[in-house]
Amino acid sequence: MNADELLKRHLELVLEANKTTNITAIDSWGDGMKLHVEDSLVGLPELEAAPAGPFADIGSGAGYPGIPLAVMTGREALLVDSVKKKARLLESFVQELGLENVAVSDERIEDASRQFRGRFSAVTARALSKLSVLMELAQPLLAPGGHLICYKARMEEEELAHALSLQKRLGYRVKSDRTIDADDRIRRIIVLEKVGEPALKLPRHVGYAQKRPL
């Protein structure tokens, strides 16, 4: 299958699986193409601009944006989702699509970062958590100079200001910030570059990033 066929087949598999397992709130082909496939590819230029090497997609869910990005770039990818049911489905999608460059981890992000510390040139995250939380979770996974690529919708200025205040403490700097307004949808792609090591030991205990945010 070519890239376009792979993207469509992936969506078919997601919609079919969703009939028996709740992995997405989207249940129509049109919405799936727009809100999953096309939305995942919004961040393609940012991944292509990241240093060469593998990337990790954290909180991968149904495989968005990780699978479309892996298909389009050919990069090695690790899809991380700690919900076992979703991870098993991701494995079945990857096998059905024949994606030899994609692997799946069912570990919590903090545990995966211990196993794969400093392994990735990029980390992607879509509809997962606040920007400051993503910065903390991704830091141990990134190689020096690696890029954290965050897909955000409408973001409060307070969330952005807090994240930016943590740049030095977490060893980041903003690389790029791009907003796309299409079909009444706002998508903002914020990229942070890992420029140093954090001022605290990471990862913290599982769940601390969300329960005890910095």
Side-chain angles (χ1 to χ4, degrees), residues 78-201:
L78 180 69
L79 311 179
V80 183
D81 201 298
S82 63
V83 179
K84 309 300 183 187
K85 187 164 49 176
K86 291 182 180 180
R88 299 293 82 79
L89 282 172
L90 286 172
E91 289 175 341
S92 71
F93 298 162
V94 168
Q95 183 174 9
E96 171 72 21
L97 296 169
L99 300 178
E100 296 182 359
N101 59 320
V102 181
V104 177
S105 171
D106 64 3
E107 294 186 277
R108 295 293 295 266
I109 297 168
E110 295 91 339
D111 293 330
S113 70
R114 292 183 179 93
Q115 181 180 353
F116 300 101
R117 181 178 291 276
R119 193 80 60 89
F120 300 99
S121 65
V123 170
T124 56
R126 174 178 177 260
L128 182 60
S129 194
K130 289 184 177 181
L131 185 56
S132 58
V133 173
L134 298 177
M135 291 164 65
E136 176 180 344
L137 291 174
Q139 226 284 354
L141 288 164
L142 286 167
H147 292 184
L148 168 60
I149 302 170
C150 301
Y151 288 62
K152 304 294 291 185
R154 299 182 186 276
M155 184 168 55
E156 298 292 335
E157 286 305 311
E158 182 181 357
E159 178 184 344
L160 178 60
H162 178 61
L164 296 182
S165 74
L166 293 171
Q167 286 182 94
K168 185 174 181 180
R169 188 178 181 193
L170 289 175
Y172 286 105
R173 73 174 179 91
V174 174
K175 182 75 174 178
S176 63
D177 184 351
R178 182 168 63 100
T179 299
I180 301 92
D181 189 349
D183 298 327
D184 299 321
R185 291 184 297 118
I186 299 292
R187 174 57 79 193
R188 190 170 180 178
I189 306 292
I190 299 177
V191 180
L192 295 112
E193 179 182 7
K194 179 174 177 174
V195 294
E197 292 303 318
L200 68 164
K201 185 178 179 181

